[in-house]
Every structure is written in structure tokens, then in C-alpha cells.
């Protein structure tokens, strides 16, 4: 869903989100383009929104943490339609995309994404065979902000790459350790076997 379809966006900064989530009793990660910037340690481009990834099983804790916010769920996902996320409502798949603003008159500032988990494993909501131990799902910036591991973020970006995704890939590629490159290459092979990124990942990944 385009970030400008249903109202004005003024995305928070990662440090703003970190302040809101400081007391969170569940794992969370900055995602999207900001995750790539936290990985490389510098700004790369302008952002239309700010994504935060949490596990679906923690949604009640998230809803409680953001009880004073104005929260809307994209229902159905990707169709340009929002409805309120009611207190106590448990969101089931495929619902995963929640728009957040501090008050009804404020601009949207955070896009909350729900992802799946089984035990100690993160499971891609798009392709369940793509998995990773939850303790490998994120990194922590020098300032203490958790963010989604670049290889996982690039996997999500690989489905339909745009210019900004190519910018992110170019910026972070050289920072990926061989195991991360190998995981990303294997994951992309599942969703897009002919993806052009594979040519740059395969020399140091499993064949």
C-alpha cells in the first residue's frame, strides 16, 4: 500500500520509536529502509514511512503498549483500505499491516508489521519455508536500537525491487558476512530464481 494513499505521513525517526518501545517486554526491530541505514551507519535516502517489525504472537503486548495511539489495520492488506484495530482484537493472517499515529489528527508516523514465529524460529509471512532463528533476526545499532538483519530486509525487498531497494542493496552488500549472503541467496532462489541480485551473492554463497 502506498504511504500517501490514506493520509499524510511524517515518519518518526528510529530514535523516536526506540523511546516509545523502551519499556517493551517483547522483541521488536526497526525494519524497511531505516534498518539498512542503521546497518551501514549513515543516511541513504528520504523515507516515506518507518516500519517496525514485531512477532504476531506478541500483538496483545504491542496493542497495550500503544493503547493511547490511533491504530488502523490494513484490511484487506494492500488494497488501500484501513479500519480501526479494536482493543482486544486478535489479528489473524493475512492481516499484518498496522498504521499508527499518536492522535486522530496527527499524521501517520509508524507502520507496524506483524510477522510469524514457530517456537524459536521466525517464519516469513510470505513464504513459510523461509525461516531463521529469532535470535538471528536482528542486530543492534551503536546507539542501542534494534533493527532487522539486513539479509532479512533484503529478502523482503527482493520480491519487487524498486530504485530505492537497489540503493539499499548496493549500500549494505559489502557488509554482509558470507553466512548472511548465503542465507539471502538461498531465500531469494525460493521466491525469484532468476533475480539479478543472485549474480552478486552467489560467488560467496552456497551453490
Amino acid at each position: 500500500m502506498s504511504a500517501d494513499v490514506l493520509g499524510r505521513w511524517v515518519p518518526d525517526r528510529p530514535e523516536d520509536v526506540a523511546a516509545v518501545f523502551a519499556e517493551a517486554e517483547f522483541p521488536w526491530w526497526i525494519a524497511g529502509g531505516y534498518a539498512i541505514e542503521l546497518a551501514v551507519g549513515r543516511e541513504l535516502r528520504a523515507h516515506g514511512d518507518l516500519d517496525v517489525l514485531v512477532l504476531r504472537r506478541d500483538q496483545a503486548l504491542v496493542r497495550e503498549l500503544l493503547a493511547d495511539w490511533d491504530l488502523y489495520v490494513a484490511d484487506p492488506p494492500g488494497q488501500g483500505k484501513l479500519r480501526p484495530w479494536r482493543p482486544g482484537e486478535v489479528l489473524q493472517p493475512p492481516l499484518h499491516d498496522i498504521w499508527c499515529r499518536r492522535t486522530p489528527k496527527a499524521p501517520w508516523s509508524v507502520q507496524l508489521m506483524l510477522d510469524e514465529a514457530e517456537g524459536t524460529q521466525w517464519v516469513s509471512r510470505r513464504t513459510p519455508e523461509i525461516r531463521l532463528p529469532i535470535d538471528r533476526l536482528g542486530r543492534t545499532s551503536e546507539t542501542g536500537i534494534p533493527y532487522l538483519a539486513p539479509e532479512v530486509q533484503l529478502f523482503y525487498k527482493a520480491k519487487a525491487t524498486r530504485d530505492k531497494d537497489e540503493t539499499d542493496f548496493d549500500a549494505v552488500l559489502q557488509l554482509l558476512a558470507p553466512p548472511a549472503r548465503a542465507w539471502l541467496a538461498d531465500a531469494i532462489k525460493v521466491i525469484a530464481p532468476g533475480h539479478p541480485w543472485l549474480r552478486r551473492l552467489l560467488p560467496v554463497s552456497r551453490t
Side-chain angles (χ1 to χ4, degrees):
M1 191 187 310
S2 172
D4 60 0
V5 168
L6 297 169
R8 186 168 63 99
W9 270 84
V10 179
D12 278 358
R13 299 283 300 172
E15 53 268 28
D16 301 325
V17 173
V20 172
F21 282 73
E23 303 302 321
E25 297 181 353
F26 53 86
W28 62 275
W29 304 269
I30 296 290
Y34 277 112
I36 301 297
E37 291 187 347
L38 288 169
V40 301
R42 68 181 191 279
E43 293 187 4
L44 297 172
R45 54 181 175 80
H47 298 273
D49 58 10
L50 181 144
D51 299 330
V52 176
L53 182 72
V54 298
L55 301 178
R56 183 180 299 277
R57 65 190 183 191
D58 294 324
Q59 64 176 284
L61 296 174
V62 180
R63 188 67 181 80
E64 181 179 357
L65 180 70
L66 301 178
D68 294 334
W69 286 53
D70 195 38
L71 307 176
Y72 279 70
V73 58
D75 185 7
Q79 299 300 310
K81 297 180 180 180
L82 298 177
R83 65 165 178 81
W85 183 16
R86 297 179 296 274
E89 179 186 7
V90 177
L91 301 178
Q92 301 291 349
L95 303 181
H96 67 273
D97 182 2
I98 301 153
W99 290 30
C100 313
R101 56 190 176 187
R102 285 171 170 78
T103 71
K105 293 184 178 181
W108 302 109
S109 56
V110 174
Q111 192 162 6
L112 192 66
M113 314 298 290
L114 303 181
D115 247 358
E116 312 305 323
E118 293 180 7
T120 61
Q121 294 281 312
W122 162 81
V123 181
S124 169
R125 66 176 179 272
R126 291 180 178 170
T127 311
E129 69 181 280
I130 304 298
R131 297 166 178 254
L132 197 66
I134 292 171
D135 61 7
R136 289 177 52 196
L137 188 58
R139 308 281 188 272
T140 303
S141 73
E142 292 183 355
T143 56
I145 300 175
Y147 62 91
L148 195 61
E151 61 269 24
V152 180
Q153 187 58 65
L154 290 175
F155 161 71
Y156 275 125
K157 286 175 171 287
K159 181 180 180 181
T161 52
R162 302 150 294 182
D163 288 346
K164 64 182 182 179
D165 302 318
E166 297 293 346
T167 296
D168 292 346
F169 180 79
D170 290 340
V172 81
L173 177 61
Q174 297 305 316
L175 299 180
L176 295 181
R181 289 190 180 213
W183 182 91
L184 177 57
D186 288 346
I188 291 176
K189 288 177 190 176
V190 172
I191 61 169
H195 199 289
W197 286 357
L198 289 172
R199 292 194 297 270
R200 299 173 65 184
L201 291 167
L202 284 171
V204 291
S205 67
R206 297 190 300 276
T207 58

